[in-house]
Amino acid sequence: DTEVTQTPKHLVMGMTNKKSLKCEQHMGHRAMYWYKQKAKKPPELMFVYSYEKLSINESVPSRFSPECPNSSLLNLHLHALQPEDSALYLCASSQGKGYFDGYTFGSGTRLTVV
Amino acid sequence: GNSVTQMEGPVTLSEEAFLTINCTYTATGYPSLFWYVQYPGEGLQLLLKATKADDKGSNKGFEATYRKETTSFHLEKGSVQVSDSAVYFCALSHNTGNQFYFGTGTSLTVIP
């Protein structure tokens, strides 16, 4: 299995809703990442988990809350989002720091906040 | 610090034309270099990579050579197809960090 699977593919939520994005990989990668991508822009790093511990938080607002329940799963809990949070959310994983093999990305969750 | 500078787009080519997308980087030491492709509505896919100077990465007819003397990693393809229409991102990974540095992306449209 050489994939990163993200669910759901599309999500529409109101500003008062609580929802979660899910990411799963079975490649034995011990580093996992959340990125946010706006249209026509490169991905922006949000969070890095290394061996299930949060190692980087790029000053992301607290309405985004990551969770890594085990080495294969990564969640992103969403609460009280703003319309400007609408974007493509990408999950990625890597063997080590990705220096030799790069990152493997999922197909993303297209989030629309209304 | 580490950074990647990528050719501005959008780029529009006719089918079977030659493609070059320029990418230069700034980094200390010995970074690894990557090209990722993003098709409409999808995530990023690794296209090719090179982990040391003079390495040539290749895949699906695309090539790029890691040139340390010019700090470049230009993407080339001899004959593009309509199916190559996508956004291409050059990226750098450094063995001292835990993140990628992406270029701004170059949108390619190939017309029949």
Side-chain angles (χ1 to χ4, degrees):
Chain A
D1 188 350
T2 57
E3 286 188 344
V4 173
T5 303
Q6 287 188 247
T7 54
K9 288 196 178 306
H10 300 275
L11 178 63
V12 179
M13 61 185 289
M15 289 189 283
T16 58
N17 290 161
K18 284 185 182 180
K19 295 285 186 185
S20 296
L21 310 185
K22 186 175 175 179
C23 172
E24 194 166 1
Q25 58 89 14
H26 296 286
M27 294 177 281
H29 290 174
R30 301 311 296 269
M32 296 185 76
Y33 311 82
W34 280 116
Y35 279 86
K36 173 182 177 181
Q37 187 181 26
K38 294 286 234 180
K40 301 187 188 300
K41 297 289 187 184
E44 297 173 20
L45 182 65
M46 300 174 72
F47 302 105
V48 179
Y49 273 83
S50 180
Y51 289 85
E52 295 131 66
K53 287 186 169 35
L54 182 65
S55 63
I56 294 178
N57 175 341
E58 290 286 351
S59 303
V60 179
S62 60
R63 56 185 184 268
F64 294 91
S65 175
E67 179 196 19
C68 189
N70 61 54
S71 60
S72 300
L73 279 176
L74 188 64
N75 298 321
L76 186 62
H77 303 297
L78 314 173
H79 173 54
L81 294 193
Q82 303 298 308
E84 59 265 28
D85 296 321
S86 298
L88 180 67
Y89 288 84
L90 293 165
C91 175
S93 69
S94 68
Q95 183 73 329
K97 296 180 179 180
Y99 180 68
F100 291 107
D101 295 321
Y103 293 179
T104 302
F105 284 85
S107 297
T109 294
R110 177 77 58 190
L111 174 67
T112 303
V113 182
V114 298
Chain B
N2 300 308
S3 67
V4 175
T5 301
Q6 195 173 333
M7 171 178 161
E8 290 284 334
V11 174
T12 302
L13 294 173
S14 297
E15 209 165 19
E16 299 184 4
F18 185 86
L19 169 71
T20 300
I21 301 178
N22 291 338
C23 172
T24 58
Y25 68 90
T26 301
T28 55
Y30 304 96
S32 291
L33 300 170
F34 304 85
W35 276 100
Y36 279 83
V37 58
Q38 186 172 32
Y39 297 102
E42 297 187 15
L44 277 69
Q45 299 176 24
L46 178 63
L47 182 59
L48 53 84
K49 65 179 182 179
T51 58
K52 61 183 189 297
D54 300 325
D55 266 2
K56 178 187 279 189
S58 61
N59 186 25
K60 300 181 182 179
F62 291 90
E63 293 183 341
T65 301
Y66 187 159
R67 302 275 188 213
K68 193 160 176 65
E69 63 275 14
T70 54
T71 61
S72 65
F73 193 55
H74 305 320
L75 183 68
E76 296 182 337
K77 187 176 186 183
S79 175
V80 293
Q81 305 300 311
V82 171
S83 56
D84 295 326
S85 298
V87 179
Y88 293 81
F89 291 98
C90 186
L92 175 159
S93 174
H94 206 285
N95 59 357
T96 59
N98 204 172
Q99 63 172 293
F100 262 31
Y101 298 86
F102 285 98
T104 50
T106 302
S107 176
L108 170 67
T109 300
V110 180
I111 54 177

